[in-house]
Amino acid sequence: MTEPVPVAPADGTGPTPEEVGWRRLPGRMLLVGPATALLRLAPALVVLVLFGAGSGNSTQVWIAGAAVVVAVAVGVVRWRTTRYRITDERVELHSGLLNRQRRSVPRDRIRTVDLTAPLLHRLVGLSVVKVGSGQSGSDAGLDLDAVTTDEAERLRRELLARPAPARGPAAVAGGTGADRARVEGNGADGNGAGGNGAGGDAAGGDGTVGPADPVDPAGEELDRIDWSSLRFAPLTVSSLAAIGALAGAGWNVLNETGLDPRSLPGADAVAGELSAAPVWATVLVAVALLLLVMVAGSIVLFVERWWDYRLSREPDGTLRVRRGLLTKRSLSVSEQRLRGVTVSEPLLVRALGGGAQAGALTVGLAGEDTDSGGGALGPPVRRAHAHAVAATAARATGPVTDGPLRAHPARARARRLVRAVGPALAPAVALGVFAWFDAAVWPVVVGVALVVVAVPLALDRYRALGHRLDERYLVARHGSLLRTTTALRRDGVIGWRVRQSLFQRRAGVLTLEATTAAGGGAVQVLDLDPADAVALMAAVTPDAVTPFRA
């Protein structure tokens, strides 16, 4: 079903875009597409069939049958109208019959290639290829759902191929790494202009991408799953949120099918025992059951998400994260797009388990989304191990995100105390007024507890503040509920933004943001002394700051 692809001429010029043949998705998609749609409609279809057959109303059964026929027809049309091709300059995808879509992504804009294989796809040997460009609009990226597993791996290597050597005079042999970085900075990302000239995330100096080199499939393994990390599973926010979503979906299914948990055998006896017990005992049992479900569910989700996790450095110059039990996922990021690394420490993971999670600060991939796995280099692990993974990914010989940081002025501590205690005083006063009229003690206790808890939280936020500038990295740390340490490469800084609120002006501090094309677009250094901010900018980008200092 795949149209022939022209062979490049002997002179190496390659086929023109018009000569490159269009390719279709494999015929196995006729099984996966309708099956996936029917699985999503399964609860509604089950309700229609059961109630229709039980009540003797065949209309509902016919509706369910029609839904199956429509799902199959949509799958056939989607397979028939979808085609793609890869030229030397672009990746193009055409799809749709009534609503036709034409997607085209320049190859020098490709930042990530994500291979995902849900269970149904794996059963028939297919994978979904998600091409990310880090852009919005027409160049935002595209999904090939789906191609064969072998074709997906070949596309991964081809689309993340190393750029062709620059042909300009700056690319002569013997040039320094900084020289090459400045030449590459003139690529599509534009980091070389207006910054310090080391964007380096685009293709070569002429903006072209060379063909994929033959590579050894075995890469250098940097990290693999350590099941002692299971203790962090109940402490992550994403696991708790996912459990809540699954519980809500299950409750909706029970409501749709008319099932009542109280009708289960033994439910009446349990309800009678709980009603006869003291209120505090009933609450304790309910809390214990809730904790048991949350812990068991979070462990199951952790295993499904991080099963067979491996972090490797591939011979084609990419960092690759592979993980997943039911849904296999492989995320590849070109190291040329890597601008730094992060280490995130959620409060519960840090306080109860001493853990952290390493992430990538990459052009086209949000590195802050570590808890959900978006920019994560691995699962939550021991804090020292997370810092080691970050340093290894950054090819650093020593600690990058770890080590001493420069403390911020005492005025920043006062700001955190005011910002934490102030919001806690409002509900405390309201509870005190309620206790006055109701003659109760517990509102006063709750109000005082809110204020007492706010003080150590504010002090912890101040202790987290800090920054460091070394030969290669700008390191900044902040946060308490989610403490984040970010190490941004100095040649990844493309500009500065200075923000100062009214209260910051009164305190004599400001927020300095190092803008970058990676992650969330900026690295914040909070509540910094103005003199330190100017010195920091001058050290990283002296040419950009000289006019302001004059």
Side-chain angles (χ1 to χ4, degrees):
M1 306 301 297
T2 301
E3 298 184 21
V5 180
V7 179
D11 59 3
T13 57
T16 64
E18 292 74 15
E19 295 173 334
V20 177
W22 289 91
R23 307 180 225 179
R24 293 191 184 277
L25 300 179
R28 280 172 278 181
M29 269 301 298
L30 294 174
L31 299 175
V32 175
T36 302
L38 291 176
L39 279 179
R40 293 173 181 171
L41 298 173
L45 294 178
V46 170
V47 171
L48 287 173
V49 172
L50 291 179
F51 280 85
S55 61
N57 185 2
S58 61
T59 303
Q60 293 177 335
V61 178
W62 280 107
I63 293 175
V68 173
V69 173
V70 170
V72 174
V74 169
V76 172
V77 171
R78 181 170 171 268
W79 170 77
R80 183 63 183 171
T81 59
T82 301
R83 55 180 184 161
Y84 69 98
R85 69 177 178 180
I86 300 175
T87 68
D88 289 342
E89 293 81 21
R90 310 186 72 85
V91 180
E92 301 176 75
L93 174 66
H94 291 183
S95 62
L97 179 62
L98 300 178
N99 182 23
R100 294 185 177 180
Q101 295 183 354
R102 302 292 185 263
R103 304 298 302 271
S104 179
V105 178
R107 289 187 58 173
D108 58 5
R109 284 286 186 183
I110 294 175
R111 304 295 183 252
T112 60
V113 176
D114 190 350
L115 307 186
T116 306
L119 183 58
L120 284 176
H121 289 67
R122 291 173 56 195
L123 292 177
V124 294
L126 298 178
S127 295
V128 181
V129 180
K130 299 182 179 181
V131 180
S133 65
Q135 306 293 318
S136 58
S138 59
D139 290 344
L142 51 85
D143 295 353
L144 295 177
D145 185 8
V147 297
T148 63
T149 302
D150 292 339
E151 175 72 359
E153 181 63 26
R154 190 191 67 79
L155 289 175
R156 185 195 72 83
R157 292 196 301 266
E158 180 180 356
L159 297 178
L160 289 176
R162 293 178 179 177
R167 300 169 189 165
V172 294
T176 64
D179 292 335
R180 289 191 295 272
R182 280 190 287 271
V183 172
E184 293 171 353
N186 294 326
D189 190 54
N191 291 2
N196 57 356
D201 85 283
D206 58 353
T208 60
V209 177
D213 297 328
V215 295
D216 184 357
E220 176 191 359
E221 185 175 286
L222 305 181
D223 196 21
R224 64 169 47 240
I225 188 64
D226 180 1
W227 289 114
S228 65
S229 299
L230 275 176
R231 67 180 186 271
F232 301 116
L235 307 178
T236 57
V237 176
S238 61
S239 295
L240 299 180
I243 293 170
L246 291 176
W251 183 257
N252 289 334
V253 171
L254 290 178
N255 287 337
E256 292 290 339
T257 56
L259 296 178
D260 188 352
R262 293 173 295 183
S263 63
L264 296 176
D268 292 335
V270 174
E273 292 290 338
L274 291 177
S275 61
V279 176
W280 62 266
T282 303
V283 172
L284 285 180
V285 171
V287 171
L289 289 176
L290 179 61
L291 289 177
L292 180 62
V293 171
M294 291 174 61
V295 170
S298 61
I299 290 176
V300 170
L301 291 175
F302 185 95
V303 171
E304 198 286 327
R305 177 179 296 166
W306 295 107
W307 180 268
D308 198 28
Y309 155 75
R310 284 172 292 165
L311 172 65
S312 60
R313 178 173 285 117
E314 299 298 305
D316 57 2
T318 61
L319 283 176
R320 188 175 187 182
V321 178
R322 283 171 280 194
R323 59 184 176 88
L325 178 59
L326 298 179
T327 299
K328 289 288 186 180
R329 185 173 183 183
S330 169
L331 176 63
S332 299
V333 180
S334 173
E335 289 191 271
Q336 291 182 338
R337 276 78 172 174
L338 192 66
R339 294 293 174 267
V341 288
T342 65
V343 171
S344 300
E345 304 172 69
L347 179 61
L348 293 179
V349 173
R350 182 178 77 249
L352 301 182
Q357 189 175 19
L361 194 63
T362 306
V363 175
L365 183 66
E368 290 78 2
D369 193 20
T370 52
D371 195 30
S372 63
L377 291 174
V381 293
R382 291 178 295 104
R383 183 177 182 274
H385 187 69
H387 287 294
V389 169
T392 302
R395 292 184 179 270
T397 56
V400 177
T401 52
D402 202 4
L405 301 178
R406 183 172 180 175
H408 288 197
R411 300 185 296 274
R413 178 174 53 205
R415 273 179 45 80
R416 268 139 191 80
L417 285 170
V418 170
R419 295 176 65 182
V421 175
L425 285 176
V429 171
L431 289 170
V433 173
F434 177 79
W436 175 269
F437 288 101
D438 195 53
V441 178
W442 67 266
V444 177
V445 175
V446 173
V448 172
L450 288 175
V451 177
V452 171
V453 170
V455 173
L457 183 63
L459 295 177
D460 184 67
R461 291 183 63 199
Y462 173 72
R463 282 193 298 270
L465 280 183
H467 71 278
R468 181 180 71 242
L469 184 66
D470 56 31
E471 294 181 357
R472 292 189 59 195
Y473 290 94
L474 167 63
V475 184
R477 186 180 65 196
H478 62 84
S480 180
L481 297 179
L482 178 62
R483 178 175 295 177
T484 303
T485 306
T486 303
L488 173 64
R489 274 173 33 188
R490 294 175 63 153
D491 58 12
V493 178
I494 61 176
W496 300 96
R497 183 185 299 116
V498 178
R499 294 190 295 107
Q500 192 175 40
S501 66
L502 175 62
F503 298 104
Q504 283 181 313
R505 287 199 296 271
R506 291 175 61 88
V509 295
L510 54 81
T511 296
L512 179 65
E513 294 184 357
T515 59
T516 179
V523 173
Q524 292 186 337
V525 186
L526 301 179
D527 287 351
L528 191 62
D529 187 273
D532 291 340
V534 173
L536 197 61
M537 290 188 289
V540 178
T541 56
D543 295 337
V545 181
T546 299
F548 298 96
R549 302 185 72 181

